[in-house]
Amino acid sequence: MVWQRVRSFIGSFGLLAALLCAAPACKREAPVGEPTPVAYTQGAYVLCEGNYGWGQGTIEYLDTSMPGGQTEDAYLLANGFAAGNVVQSMATSGDSAYLVVNNSNKVELIEKRTLKRLRAYTQLVSPRFALPVGPDLWVTDLYAGRITVLDRATLALKRTIKAPGWTEQLVYAQNRVYVANRRQTTQAAGGINEQVLVCDPTTYSIVDSIKFSGGRGCQDLVWMPQDGKLYTLLEHDSALRGPALASITLADKSLHKWPTVVRNRQPIRLHAAAGGLLWLQGDRVCYWTLTDGIHSVQPLGAGANLTAIGPLPSHGSKRGRLWVANAQDYVSRASLALVEIDWATLSINQIKNTRTGIIPAQIVIF
């Protein structure tokens, strides 16, 4: 009788445990498998945002040699877990890389060659871009109203710098950190910040600003030391038409703007390449030089949704090779193409096509 009661108690306890572990609080993630870090010696990382709010972003490895190969979600393979939601950007320095994941509120220190995560800082609001400056890591933000400064080796918080509205890309030039400042919304009536912020990295303070006009903030920044100028892309949408590209001469803060060849589309992804500057607008790749002005081509055809570009070294030639990503419908895997463009004749040669992750945001060539 006693043994029957014991068996009855054990059976009841086992049933209770099974019911409890079936509840959501006991739900366990399916194991991904053991991480298998691989050292990537050459190529490119394609940072893919993933479906906003519910999907996981990825980092795809692309071997840029010919014919080359590809590794889907190389970050997952290296770590055993996904990178997070909205994989935004990556900055590299030596053997280290700093990964910014926007909707997961974090920046990570990872090994550049393996993508293995070393540590993470997860107390950010909506981070956008990171920049190593000496022993520091500067991180901009969409909603926080501040720039965050971390220790780049430990990712410990060092300082915060109050900044108006939406801060975007940032560059280091002539002992200053320059930060692109955008409107708080994408509407013309949104809080307007028409400026580049000038910061002193020794005092962690904003010491000046360079103003634009006409309701246009900026997002991308490229420093061209050979002519002492910053170049930036201006906001440009259905409500704000006009110039897409502007230069800032740091010696006197003078501005110059160039008219766009694409109407009603936001210019994105500014790069120095092919002896000039490259960027994307809708289905076009735009190319600018001081002597030739702006030209554009449709390397993947009319109606493409170009979201990332990775120029390969061209040694000053006006014929350039570049990887271009087409996000297509924002929910399915994107297409990726290696194209060669002759900017003298505007001819296009498509060399290779492949697939990549969802919404490519950045192509990091190394």
Side-chain angles (χ1 to χ4, degrees), residues 134-345:
D136 300 330
L137 184 73
W138 289 53
V139 185
T140 57
D141 207 288
L142 172 57
Y143 297 122
R146 64 176 180 265
I147 300 165
T148 300
V149 183
L150 306 174
D151 183 291
R152 64 182 288 185
T154 65
L155 296 190
L157 177 64
K158 295 183 73 170
R159 298 289 183 92
T160 59
I161 304 168
K162 186 177 180 180
W166 178 350
T167 48
E168 277 280 300
Q169 277 197 355
L170 61 178
V171 298
Y172 180 77
Q174 297 182 350
N175 301 317
R176 292 287 186 263
V177 176
Y178 294 86
V179 183
N181 200 195
R182 289 188 69 177
R183 294 175 294 174
Q184 293 173 320
T185 75
T186 56
Q187 302 301 313
I192 295 174
N193 302 301
E194 308 167 9
Q195 59 193 344
V196 172
L197 304 175
V198 185
C199 305
D200 185 339
T202 62
T203 61
Y204 303 101
S205 61
I206 298 173
V207 296
D208 199 358
S209 64
I210 302 170
K211 303 288 186 180
F212 295 99
S213 61
R216 289 176 176 84
C218 61
Q219 59 176 38
D220 297 63
L221 283 177
V222 167
W223 163 236
M224 302 281 274
Q226 61 268 35
D227 63 9
K229 294 180 180 179
L230 285 176
Y231 290 86
T232 185
L233 296 175
L234 301 176
E235 288 188 292
H236 189 85
D237 54 28
S238 59
L240 294 172
R241 301 177 182 178
L245 177 69
S247 68
I248 305 167
T249 303
L250 294 188
D252 58 7
K253 296 197 296 186
S254 60
L255 304 176
H256 189 85
K257 300 175 184 178
W258 286 268
T260 184
V261 294
V262 183
R263 299 172 67 85
N264 308 338
R265 297 303 297 267
Q266 174 66 32
I268 59 174
R269 316 295 186 240
L270 184 64
H271 288 270
L277 294 167
L278 293 171
W279 69 90
L280 303 174
Q281 267 186 284
D283 58 9
R284 292 180 176 269
V285 175
C286 299
Y287 172 62
W288 169 90
T289 66
L290 186 60
T291 55
D292 298 332
I294 298 175
H295 301 287
S296 72
V297 295
Q298 296 170 304
L300 303 186
N305 183 17
L306 305 184
T307 56
I309 182 173
L312 297 175
S314 60
H315 308 292
S317 169
K318 289 186 179 180
R319 179 187 294 272
R321 286 190 174 187
L322 54 149
W323 289 92
V324 185
N326 178 8
Q328 301 182 122
D329 57 8
Y330 290 114
V331 295
S332 55
R333 285 179 63 83
S335 61
L336 188 67
L338 175 63
V339 298
E340 185 174 68
I341 302 174
D342 187 329
W343 290 106
T345 62

Side-chain angles (χ1 to χ4, degrees), residues 12-22 26:
S12 298
F13 179 81
L15 177 61
L16 178 61
L19 289 172
L20 287 174
C21 285
C26 287

